[in-house]
Amino acid sequence: MITIRVQVPATSANCGPGFDCLGLALNLYNIFSFTPDPNATEYTYTFEGFGADILRAEDPKKNLIGFAMDQVFATAQEPIQYGHITSETLIPPSRGLGSSSTAIVGGLLLANALVKQPLTKEELLVIANRMEGHPDNVAPAIFGNLCCATGLKTKVLNTVISVPSELHFAVVVPEVMVSTEYARSVLPNHVPFKEAVQNVSHASLFVTSLITHQLSNLSVALDDNLHVPYRKTLIPHCDAAFEAAKAAGAYGATISGSGSTLIAYVDKAHVQDAADAMGAVFTANGIENKTYCLEADSTGASII
């Protein structure tokens, strides 16, 4: 009996000023496997890794992996193939690193490996965007690198930009839960015109600076007016961690996704120092945390 295994990268959405449209794939992965069972009438699950106890307690009929698989079978107009799904979670869940997107994309790839006429990555992105609600996490999870995406009614326009190899990422994941729903609830209904214009400027500078390898521009380009000023109030000592990363040599730092993860953009020589410095801020204030020194993933989700 065949078993299909896929790995899906973590993603850091928004990238500072690119709210709901920019997303970055990182070389930290969740792994999903599926063994079809012709006698099964539903999906069964085994959960391992971060949050396994929480996932085991949830209703399996609402699991994103199985739901995503159903969407592929329906789109391909083929019968659902049930069986056993194993989820190995290496990405901290509910921390702004795209863990739920990995479940969606993982399910899409598992089912796509089974249909007679596999869907293209672009077709999978449409399904993923429909499930997630916005493409800034699912696009880089599928394509890797930095993605600039916008969702339309029936398609998603997405461009992929190679991340400079000299750019690394210092990541701190404090033991602070910030739900995406709550993180959106603190955002304002309106922002001043001048601040909106500045965000367009910074997002443009961010993308072009990566293309041209002018990474020192990130000290300005990462600044945001749309979400970071409001969401950082949900993350204790956020500003102190940002400053610690910069003092340790980072170009700049921002909130990853809706938080509570913080991510600093930094060169290879300073990435460990920046990660340690951010972690030390939380440790000094009695907040447990994990730190990672990461690079961009250039492949996206893949069968392994």
Side-chain angles (χ1 to χ4, degrees):
M1 191 173 294
I2 63 165
T3 295
I4 302 160
R5 280 171 59 85
V6 302
Q7 69 174 20
V8 188
T11 51
S12 181
N14 303 321
C15 301
F19 185 67
D20 275 6
C21 61
L22 294 182
L24 171 75
L26 299 168
N27 65 339
L28 178 66
Y29 304 92
N30 282 346
I31 298 171
F32 307 97
S33 61
F34 178 67
T35 305
D37 181 353
N39 298 314
T41 57
E42 60 183 13
Y43 299 113
T44 56
Y45 294 88
T46 297
F47 299 105
E48 301 170 0
F50 283 119
D53 52 340
I54 298 172
L55 292 168
R56 289 189 201 105
E58 292 178 351
D59 182 355
K61 289 183 172 57
K62 296 180 180 179
N63 189 280
L64 288 173
I65 308 168
F67 187 74
M69 292 183 70
D70 287 349
Q71 302 305 301
V72 172
F73 291 127
T75 303
Q77 298 182 318
E78 294 189 22
I80 294 174
Q81 298 185 44
Y82 292 112
H84 188 73
I85 297 167
T86 299
S87 169
E88 302 171 56
T89 306
L90 304 178
I91 302 168
S94 302
R95 293 295 195 280
L97 285 171
S99 181
S100 63
S101 290
T102 69
I104 292 171
V105 173
L108 296 178
L109 257 69
L110 290 173
N112 207 43
L114 295 169
V115 297
K116 294 183 179 66
Q117 292 187 311
L119 306 180
T120 65
K121 284 189 174 183
E122 288 75 17
E123 290 171 321
L124 294 177
L125 178 56
V126 171
I127 300 172
N129 180 60
R130 188 168 64 233
M131 290 182 63
E132 180 78 352
H134 38 85
D136 52 343
N137 271 317
V138 290
I142 293 172
F143 289 92
N145 273 302
L146 176 76
C147 288
C148 310
T150 184
L152 305 178
K153 285 186 178 179
T154 58
K155 63 181 179 179
V156 179
L157 297 181
N158 178 58
T159 57
V160 182
I161 295 166
S162 295
V163 177
S165 60
E166 64 269 28
L167 183 58
H168 290 241
F169 305 92
V171 173
V172 61
V173 185
E175 281 297 313
V176 177
M177 292 284 285
V178 178
S179 74
T180 301
E181 292 77 12
Y182 186 60
R184 284 188 176 269
S185 74
V186 302
L187 301 181
N189 292 321
H190 305 279
V191 296
F193 183 80
K194 184 177 180 180
E195 292 184 5
V197 170
Q198 188 180 66
N199 251 66
V200 173
S201 167
H202 287 182
S204 302
L205 182 65
F206 176 87
V207 172
T208 54
S209 295
L210 263 59
I211 293 172
T212 60
H213 295 244
Q214 294 175 275
L215 300 183
S216 61
N217 290 343
L218 296 178
S219 62
V220 172
L222 283 166
D223 287 346
D224 167 78
N225 298 315
L226 298 185
H227 69 106
V228 172
Y230 309 98
R231 287 175 166 173
K232 69 183 182 181
T233 62
L234 308 177
I235 306 168
H237 316 292
C238 182
D239 278 331
F242 285 166
E243 291 305 317
K246 292 177 185 177
Y251 300 115
T254 189
I255 297 171
S256 180
S258 58
S260 59
T261 293
L262 307 182
I263 182 168
Y265 290 57
V266 60
D267 61 28
K268 184 177 181 179
H270 297 93
V271 64
Q272 187 68 61
D273 291 341
D276 291 344
M278 289 195 294
V281 169
F282 291 105
T283 299
N285 287 281
I287 299 174
E288 292 186 14
N289 60 89
K290 296 181 182 297
T291 59
Y292 300 86
C293 295
L294 301 175
E295 300 173 41
D297 168 274
S298 60
T299 304
S302 59
I303 296 175
I304 55 176

